[in-house]
Amino acid sequence: MRKFLSMLLVIVMVLSMAACSSTPAASGSSSSGGASDAAAEKPMIGVTIYKYDDNFMSFVRRAIETEAGDKVELSMNDSQNSQATQNDQVDTMISKGAKALAINLVDPQAADAIITKAKAADIPVVFFNKEPDATVLASYDKAWYVGTTSSESGVIQGELISQMWQDNADWDRNGDGVMNYVLLKGEPGHPDAEARTKYAVDTVVAAGIQVNELELQTGMWDSVKGKELMDAWIAKHGDDIEVVIANNDGMALGAIQSLTANGYFDSGKYMPVFGVDAIPDALEQIKGNKMAGTVLNDAKNQGKATFELAYNVAMGKDPLDGTSWTLDDTKAVRVPYVAVTMDNIAFGEEAYK
């Protein structure tokens, strides 16, 4: 009897220990499931940038990443200025389960192909910085655009050039009342490049200033190409050049490198250079009196708006839910431009903090 009772006691103790050890395991399993559920709530958002080494787009990319934080699984892609590469990246992101796409097109004409891919997978897409044709954007009810009004930057740059030309009579080197300018154009066919080129000059002319175009060539947004073109123009025209207009700060910075190497900005020899974007390097050149002015293309808010719209639609919400943005009649969020000179340099600097 005692042996029976002893064995029974041992069995009870073993069963009790097994029960105790199973409780934490069950609890751990529940916790693990909760963690998995929490992870599952984070949508994947696929992002492509037309090329990472574009000065301005590097700041837009940083803004997107900052806004995303740990709210989503962000799939960032450098399309290396190849539309074929970008198309493949879109296919890959869709196959991996992206809940929304944010696309900085290599070629704006490729928007229709991207929309076809997104529509087939029933995935919303937010284009940014390079604007698709309005009819293409309207063809899909889950497509939007974040960017600017292309003409606005040209108008503001033109107003800046006009006012400063009138305020600085010594810029007219030969005193003939005609502004001899060279213009560094961005990518041919790019909406921003075409609009900035046209409206900057048209606005100067509308202000009653006579102009003479010495050179207009594409620098493809690139500082190295900007420097090479400026080198050639200085060799050809010398001091006949009175103003340098650039569609973006990258090319303007290249022109400043060339001008500096050719003796400008020293011993009173000056050349007014105007850009667009107000990137930090350009702001430093303004403070160093090597750039006359630029136009803030608000990278921080373009990145912020792009992420907020993409996040909302990835979560199945209205794209503007909980944001301060508005859509125009082309389903676009328009981030405004602002002129930046030495007078308001702090405003430009704040945009990149």
Side-chain angles (χ1 to χ4, degrees):
M1 185 69 175
R2 283 183 181 178
K3 280 187 177 183
F4 174 79
L5 289 174
S6 296
M7 289 181 65
L8 184 61
L9 181 60
V10 169
I11 292 170
V12 170
M13 289 175 65
V14 169
L15 290 174
S16 297
M17 290 173 67
C20 289
S21 64
S22 69
T23 302
S27 175
S29 174
S30 174
S31 174
S32 175
S36 298
D37 291 343
E41 289 174 5
K42 287 187 178 183
M44 177 200 286
I45 295 179
V47 184
T48 66
I49 304 291
Y50 94 100
K51 63 173 185 174
Y52 273 12
D53 60 0
D54 179 288
N55 285 344
F56 177 73
M57 291 312 301
S58 68
F59 291 103
V60 177
R61 173 164 54 101
R62 186 175 74 179
I64 291 172
E65 291 170 336
T66 299
E67 289 296 323
D70 62 356
K71 290 186 258 187
V72 300
E73 180 186 344
L74 205 59
S75 174
M76 297 292 297
N77 296 270
D78 178 2
S79 297
Q80 301 173 17
N81 208 23
S82 165
Q83 189 58 57
T85 297
Q86 186 169 79
N87 291 346
D88 289 343
Q89 290 167 342
V90 168
D91 288 336
T92 298
M93 292 185 294
I94 289 173
S95 69
K96 287 184 175 180
K99 298 299 183 184
L101 301 173
I103 307 296
N104 171 224
L105 290 160
V106 175
D107 178 3
Q109 301 302 314
D112 191 41
I114 300 295
I115 282 179
T116 298
K117 294 173 185 292
K119 189 186 291 188
D122 194 30
I123 296 174
V125 56
V126 179
F127 295 100
F128 63 103
N129 186 257
K130 287 191 182 183
E131 186 169 5
D133 185 87
T135 57
V136 176
L137 201 63
S139 70
Y140 185 34
D141 63 348
K142 295 181 180 180
W144 300 269
Y145 175 68
V146 173
T148 59
T149 301
S150 296
S151 60
E152 184 183 21
S153 58
V155 170
I156 292 174
Q157 189 185 53
E159 291 172 344
L160 200 55
I161 294 167
S162 302
Q163 186 60 57
M164 297 185 81
W165 174 265
Q166 292 165 342
D167 290 345
N168 295 275
D170 58 320
W171 287 6
D172 185 5
R173 298 179 190 279
N174 58 14
D176 66 354
V178 178
M179 179 192 296
N180 292 325
Y181 72 89
V182 295
L183 196 150
L184 290 157
K185 184 177 180 178
E187 179 186 353
H190 189 297
D192 287 346
E194 300 300 334
R196 290 173 189 177
T197 298
K198 171 179 170 52
Y199 286 98
V201 176
D202 285 358
T203 301
V204 172
V205 171
I209 298 169
Q210 287 184 272
V211 299
N212 177 36
E213 180 183 286
L214 296 177
E215 298 285 350
L216 189 161
Q217 293 186 48
T218 177
M220 293 298 292
W221 309 117
D222 186 75
S223 61
V224 174
K225 289 184 174 63
K227 180 183 182 303
E228 291 171 350
L229 286 171
M230 198 71 224
D231 284 341
W233 294 345
I234 291 172
K236 181 178 178 181
H237 299 287
D239 289 342
D240 287 344
I241 302 171
E242 294 172 326
V243 173
V244 178
I245 305 171
N247 280 175
N248 80 332
D249 286 344
M251 294 184 295
L253 292 170
I256 288 171
Q257 286 183 341
S258 173
L259 289 162
T260 301
N262 281 277
Y264 286 86
F265 314 116
D266 185 37
S267 303
K269 191 175 182 181
Y270 182 72
M271 177 69 71
V273 179
F274 295 88
V276 174
D277 286 339
I279 62 175
D281 285 350
L283 300 180
E284 288 302 312
Q285 297 304 315
I286 291 175
K287 290 194 288 187
N289 200 34
K290 290 187 176 183
M291 183 181 284
T294 185
V295 182
L296 175 65
N297 190 4
D298 195 340
K300 180 185 285 188
N301 275 317
Q302 282 193 44
K304 177 180 173 65
T306 297
F307 175 75
E308 289 181 343
L309 266 66
Y311 180 67
N312 275 337
V313 295
M315 297 296 287
K317 300 178 182 178
D318 182 89
L320 302 181
D321 187 63
T323 77
S324 60
W325 310 110
T326 59
L327 291 171
D328 65 14
D329 56 4
T330 65
K331 300 198 297 178
V333 169
R334 305 289 177 180
V335 180
Y337 287 102
V338 181
V340 177
T341 65
M342 193 60 207
D343 293 338
N344 66 336
I345 196 78
F347 176 82
E349 291 174 324
E350 184 63 30
Y352 286 92
K353 290 182 178 177

